[in-house]
């Protein structure tokens, strides 16, 4: 079996490629390298440099590499950027997916795993979010992911394609130091960056109705997430299935707890600066993970400590220096991507 992994040179995609290889499944990557790095890929995995928006190229890759299924991660993922440039996000994330699905139909490829997000839920007023919780995205990024799920579902029903839409919660950690996230857009790498700059991370709001007043999120180790893709690929290989599943740990951890644990792991304890709440940040976003356990026999193996320590090892490898002591505050984000 050979899987086309779009966005395979990215942070999560490279972990998915490594996990497929480990599971004895073939992979070919299509990536425009807009935020990815070809040197993340293991030897022997072909990397075609190009965009999913190029339908002829996608079709050629599917045919030339005799692809059996697609794992689609290629997308833009920055919430604030999507608010400023929604047309770009709809083109990259929705039109890119439409072109890819079109090529897959033409090449008769009928297995599809789609990288969705907890951002489809918006600010749900519920303790544990199930897949039946109402989707109400609060930014264009989340909208493109929800529209993507609808598109995948509609095409699947029209063509007999099997699919698994995976709604990732907050992704963190690294399988190996070389594969660590190189962008400082998620909470943990952002805090590392502030430490390195000698600044204190800022927390937006400490008066939420949560145990310590800061927002609570569900953090999932990227290696666990990669294993969920392998489980989805296996399931699609065995049956034509149609599933939409949360991928989280089902445990909430507060932003303050994460910052405290970062201090313990790095040996640089830091007191965050508390700022006003930001509009649109939900108090708590935690997955119910019953469905993915039932459907794919998957559950998370790693905890927050492993996420922080593996991310920290990767950070040190890239920066090769210790962070300076904490100084003035700079903003750190904990948006659900
Ligand atoms: N990181 C998170 O916390 C998180 C959470 C939920 C969902 N997601 C989704 O997971 C996927 C991967 O995210 P990531 O964190 O690895 O980001 P990333 O930016 O590291 O990876 C995205 C990859 O896609 C490539 N790419 C972007 N546009 C492309 C295009 N038009 N054609 C071909 N390649 C293109 C980039 O070069 C990059 O290698 C995205 O779809 C993202 O929306 C990420």
């Amino acid at each position: 079996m050979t899987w086309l992994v779009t966005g395979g040179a990215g942070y999560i995609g490279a972990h998915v490629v490594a996990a497929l290889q480990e599971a004895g499944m073939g992979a070919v990557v299509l990536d425009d390298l807009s935020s990815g790095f070809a040197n993340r890929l293991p030897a022997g995995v072909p990397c075609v440099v190009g965009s999913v928006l190029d339908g002829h190229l996608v079709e050629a890759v599917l045919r030339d590499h005799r692809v059996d299924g697609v794992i689609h991660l290629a997308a833009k993922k920055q919430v604030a950027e999507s608010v400023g440039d929604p047309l770009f996000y709809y083109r990259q994330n929705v039109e890119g997916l439409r072109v890819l699905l079109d090529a897959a139909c033409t090449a008769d490829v009928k297995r599809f795993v789609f990288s969705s997000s907890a951002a489809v839920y918006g600010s749900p007023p519920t303790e544990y979010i199930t897949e039946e919780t109402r989707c109400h995205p609060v930014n264009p990024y989340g909208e493109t992911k929800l529209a993507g799920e609808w598109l995948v579902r509609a095409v699947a029903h029209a063509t007999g394609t099997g699919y698994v839409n995976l709604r990732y919660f907050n992704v963190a950690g690294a399988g190996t130091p070389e594969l660590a996230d190189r962008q400082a857009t998620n909470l943990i790498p952002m805090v590392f960056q502030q430490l390195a700059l000698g600044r204190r991370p800022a927390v937006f709001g400490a008066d939420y109705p949560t145990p310590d007043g800061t927002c609570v999120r569900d953090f999932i180790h990227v290696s666990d997430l990669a294993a969920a893709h392998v489980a989805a690929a296996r399931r699609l290989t065995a049956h034509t299935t149609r599933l939409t599943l949360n991928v989280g740990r089902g445990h909430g951890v507060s932003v303050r707890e994460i910052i405290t644990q970062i201090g313990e792991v790095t040996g640089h304890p830091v007191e965050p600066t508390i700022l006003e709440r930001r509009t649109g940040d939900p108090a708590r976003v935690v997955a119910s993970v019953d469905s993915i356990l039932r459907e794919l026999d998957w559950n998370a193996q790693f905890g927050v400590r492993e996420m922080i320590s593996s991310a920290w090892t990767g950070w040190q490898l890239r920066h090769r220096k210790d962070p300076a002591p904490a100084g003035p505050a700079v903003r750190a984000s904990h948006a659900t991507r």
Side-chain angles (χ1 to χ4, degrees):
M1 292 292 289
T2 299
W3 288 81
L4 169 63
V5 183
T6 73
Y11 163 52
I12 299 169
H15 284 87
V16 171
V17 170
L20 287 171
Q21 209 181 37
E22 219 167 281
M25 295 157 117
V28 52
V29 166
L30 175 65
D31 198 302
D32 68 1
L33 303 182
S34 52
S35 59
F37 300 89
N39 66 4
R40 275 185 170 138
L41 295 171
V45 173
C47 180
V48 179
V49 179
S51 173
V52 291
L53 284 155
D54 182 346
H56 293 299
L57 176 66
V58 178
E59 214 185 304
V61 173
L62 292 170
R63 290 193 195 283
D64 293 351
H65 293 269
R66 298 175 184 279
V67 167
D68 300 287
V70 176
I71 301 179
H72 178 47
L73 297 108
K76 307 299 169 208
K77 61 165 188 176
Q78 294 194 38
V79 170
E81 192 180 53
S82 79
V83 174
D85 198 350
L87 286 171
F88 177 64
Y89 270 68
Y90 271 82
R91 177 163 165 70
Q92 291 290 323
N93 294 4
V94 181
E95 176 62 6
L97 171 62
R98 191 201 63 76
V99 171
L100 174 63
L101 285 167
D102 198 358
C105 290
T106 309
D108 204 28
V109 175
K110 294 213 157 120
R111 299 177 186 90
F112 205 87
V113 180
F114 175 57
S115 170
S116 188
S117 165
V120 299
Y121 294 114
S123 307
T126 177
E127 198 179 355
Y128 291 96
I129 300 170
T130 73
E131 291 79 358
E132 281 69 49
T133 300
R134 189 167 157 261
C135 290
H136 189 81
V138 292
N139 50 60
Y141 169 74
E143 290 164 12
T144 65
K145 289 295 177 182
L146 187 55
E149 289 188 6
W150 292 341
L151 188 51
V152 169
R153 186 181 61 193
V155 170
H157 282 287
T159 61
T161 297
Y163 70 85
V164 181
N165 291 327
L166 294 175
R167 293 176 174 165
Y168 316 163
F169 281 62
N170 288 63
V171 188
T176 60
E178 301 74 28
L179 296 188
D181 196 358
R182 300 187 197 177
Q183 300 171 53
T185 50
N186 283 0
L187 176 65
I188 294 170
M190 281 187 89
V191 174
F192 292 163
Q193 190 179 53
Q194 300 318 316
L195 287 173
L197 293 169
R199 297 172 178 166
R200 288 167 58 184
V203 169
F204 296 93
D207 56 351
Y208 285 95
T210 58
D212 66 18
T214 66
C215 289
V216 168
R217 296 290 179 267
D218 188 343
F219 290 85
I220 171 82
H221 195 294
V222 66
S223 295
D224 280 330
L225 179 59
H229 289 76
V230 172
R234 282 205 173 109
R235 175 67 185 269
L236 286 167
T237 304
H239 310 284
T240 301
T241 193
R242 296 192 179 123
L243 295 168
T244 296
L245 300 169
N246 290 341
V247 197
R249 283 192 318 136
H251 294 292
V253 183
S254 78
V255 170
R256 189 186 275 282
E257 277 175 76
I258 292 282
I259 293 174
T260 302
Q261 289 208 38
I262 288 175
E264 289 166 9
V265 168
T266 63
H268 295 277
V270 59
E271 189 54 36
T273 297
I274 307 299
L275 301 178
E276 292 291 303
R277 289 184 185 194
R278 288 183 306 197
T279 322
D281 269 347
R284 179 182 160 94
V285 180
V286 180
S288 157
V289 288
D290 296 348
S291 298
I292 191 163
L293 176 60
R294 188 180 62 245
E295 296 290 348
L296 300 184
D297 194 23
W298 172 96
N299 63 4
Q301 304 296 313
F302 297 106
V304 161
R305 200 69 166 196
E306 283 117 334
M307 295 180 216
I308 295 173
S309 58
S310 60
W312 177 236
T313 309
W315 174 272
Q316 285 177 305
L317 180 76
R318 278 188 57 229
H319 299 272
R320 294 189 191 282
K321 62 175 185 177
D322 263 353
V330 162
R331 300 175 171 237
S333 162
H334 48 271
T336 301
R337 222 164 251 108

